[in-house]
Amino acid sequence: MANDPAPAVRMGRPPATSHDELERIGLELFTTRGFEETTIDEIAGAAGISRRTFFRYYTSKNDLVWGDFDAELSRLRERLAATPPSVPMMAALREAVVAFNRVDAAHVALHRRRMALILGVPSLFAHSTLRFTGWRDVIAEFVGVRVGRPSTALLPQLVAHAALGCAIAAYTDWLQHEDAALEPLLDEAIAELATGFAGHETSAEDEVSAGHDVSAGREVSAGHGADAS
Amino acid sequence: MANDPAPAVRMGRPPATSHDELERIGLELFTTRGFEETTIDEIAGAAGISRRTFFRYYTSKNDLVWGDFDAELSRLRERLAATPPSVPMMAALREAVVAFNRVDAAHVALHRRRMALILGVPSLFAHSTLRFTGWRDVIAEFVGVRVGRPSTALLPQLVAHAALGCAIAAYTDWLQHEDAALEPLLDEAIAELATGFAGHETSAEDEVSAGHDVSAGREVSAGHGADAS
DNA sequence: ACACTAATGACACCGGATGCAGAAAGGAAG
DNA sequence: CTTCCTTTCTGCATCCGGTGTCATTAGTGT
């Protein structure tokens, strides 16, 4: 289970291309002509391989945009596992997610294009749920360990889903502002999550400093008794 | 904008079926044979219409599972808009989401089957992102009004994404337990979100009363890391 | 009977994806 | 060089979801 490193000499017919090259060609075509408008035949043609061969490298057109995401997920998993227990859960989560999404300055432009495709092309975004699930699983596992519950329990799943939502929202915001930096956005997003989005309402507690009468009960929780049926 | 009610007498060839009937037939076939295994031809055949006609009722196979979700979203939007400003934002959100997902006791079984399909079939879950986006937009709009920012700003999008995540997690949990009730799960999920998931860690502030020596991890978590790659 | 209208249905077509049966490109052994 | 073996590539047939087009059908109203 660990004899990968270099089988010395290769046997059989040598590969005509590589995952990396296909990814490069695909991203290039997608960003210029559009994702839906680019057919597999065009990508295969540009790479000098047949349509059928393309599918031996990537099982679907969508997978082209995500590199080997699973490998990166392992990174995230290890980083979370290595976080000392003294760091509070949400703080650890924030730190890990921010670090996970940190990209080398030279690759920022590429990352932007990639994420613009993923979050901007509806069908691509839809298909990405598989990857997102993998991401969430890593988070849920970490939270599960922290709270002493199986990762499938409600709370871990909750945090995982919410954290993913924050990450996507932060990314979307990042993509909308050409000059923005991703890191502070992600950091802010998870930080907000950890506070329960408190203190933002224009009319309520945020303004107590002005001596307002907060009036009608905060936390009213009115609609509760109705959970009849 | 309100001339829908009954054009008195119908003109032209009468429809051969209805959205409701197709939805019924589709759900039936999906739950028995499986979603992927059921072809459009089978559904159309069972409904006594042609393949082409099916696509005039529903633009895709996936849409069959979601009824006219947009109509329901209007309900949610109105409910949120009608909430008095005295109710705190997250409380209002919680109440609205819970109420939105309340289903008549007679339809619980159907709702379960529908949601089991949506959340259980990968391709269906993936395609549902469109619907989820609509749902999030309603939430973001409400939050935007509450915090006095455009609904496209980071915070509203953040809350919307996180809330959606909570709802999905709650639904998933609900589906995993045959006898569970959806409402308290949803309520708990959004309530947790509003507190930032605080006070759950076994090793930290939650357990100070017990004075344990946390050290050698309870819940060793050993069995977890085994799923390596 | 005739026009009008709305829905259906048959057909062709596209593009993504899969299964299968070889062909092609190399190294290794004779 | 020839043969064998291994691995990858390719062409072909097929399936399925989805769309555009156009004739056909089943009704209503005159």
Side-chain angles (χ1 to χ4, degrees), chain A residues 54-67:
Chain A
F54 172 88
F55 284 109
R56 293 187 64 263
Y57 281 84
Y58 288 94
T59 54
S60 94
K61 188 181 172 185
N62 311 275
D63 289 337
L64 211 49
V65 185
W66 296 86

Side-chain angles (χ1 to χ4, degrees), chain A residues 39-228:
Chain A
T39 69
I40 305 274
D41 293 85
E42 289 173 325
I43 302 172
I49 60 175
S50 79
R51 166 191 176 70
R52 189 65 184 83
T53 300
F54 172 88
F55 284 109
R56 293 187 64 263
Y57 281 84
Y58 288 94
T59 54
S60 94
K61 188 181 172 185
N62 311 275
D63 289 337
L64 211 49
V65 185
W66 296 86
D68 55 343
F69 190 60
D70 292 348
E72 303 211 43
L73 280 190
S74 298
R75 262 181 47 217
L76 178 60
R77 188 180 293 110
E78 284 161 23
R79 180 178 290 270
L80 280 170
T83 305
S86 57
V87 181
M89 182 179 79
M90 292 305 288
L93 202 54
R94 178 161 56 102
E95 203 281 325
V97 169
V98 168
F100 175 68
N101 287 281
R102 188 148 32 211
V103 291
D104 181 61
H107 298 142
V108 167
L110 176 65
H111 193 51
R112 264 194 112 92
R113 265 193 300 168
R114 188 192 303 274
M115 295 312 291
L117 279 171
I118 292 176
L119 299 183
V121 178
S123 76
L124 205 39
F125 182 61
H127 190 271
S128 299
T129 46
L130 294 178
R131 311 301 182 124
F132 291 152
T133 299
W135 192 91
R136 283 202 318 268
D137 286 346
V138 174
I139 305 293
E141 193 184 326
F142 166 74
V143 175
V145 171
R146 278 297 182 107
V147 303
R149 266 180 257 183
S151 66
T152 57
L154 180 59
L155 184 72
Q157 290 294 316
L158 217 51
V159 177
H161 270 99
L164 174 63
C166 286
I168 293 177
Y171 260 103
T172 305
D173 200 69
W174 176 57
L175 290 172
Q176 281 170 352
H177 303 85
E178 185 60 44
D179 56 334
L182 174 60
E183 231 176 289
L185 286 172
L186 267 174
D187 196 80
E188 184 192 339
I190 311 274
E192 284 286 358
L193 180 64
T195 68
F197 311 109
H200 288 287
E201 296 192 70
T202 55
S203 58
E205 62 260 43
D206 204 24
E207 303 253 335
V208 288
S209 57
H212 271 241
D213 175 14
V214 182
S215 71
R218 63 171 72 189
E219 204 53 23
V220 174
S221 84
H224 258 100
D227 51 280

Side-chain angles (χ1 to χ4, degrees), chain B residues 5 11 16 38 53 57 63 73 76 78 92 95 98 111 126 130 134 138 143 164-165 186-187 203 205-207:
Chain B
M11 286 281 289
T38 305
T53 299
Y57 282 85
D63 290 336
L73 279 190
L76 177 60
E78 286 161 21
E95 203 281 325
V98 169
H111 194 51
L130 294 178
V138 174
V143 175
L164 174 63
L186 267 174
D187 195 80
S203 59
E205 62 260 43
D206 205 26
E207 298 257 328

Side-chain angles (χ1 to χ4, degrees), chain B residues 10-13 15-16 49-50 52-53 56-57:
Chain B
R10 289 205 33 77
M11 286 281 289
R13 179 173 177 171
I49 61 175
S50 77
R52 188 64 184 86
T53 299
R56 290 212 179 81
Y57 282 85

Side-chain angles (χ1 to χ4, degrees), chain A residues 18-29 64 113:
Chain A
S18 66
H19 287 80
D20 276 357
E21 186 181 350
L22 285 179
E23 199 179 320
R24 255 194 34 251
I25 294 174
L27 247 66
E28 179 63 28
L29 289 175
L64 211 49
R113 265 193 300 168

Side-chain angles (χ1 to χ4, degrees), chain B residues 65-89:
Chain B
V65 184
W66 295 85
D68 53 344
F69 190 59
D70 292 347
E72 303 210 42
L73 279 190
S74 299
R75 263 181 47 218
L76 177 60
R77 188 179 294 110
E78 286 161 21
R79 180 179 290 268
L80 280 170
T83 305
S86 58
V87 181
M89 183 180 78

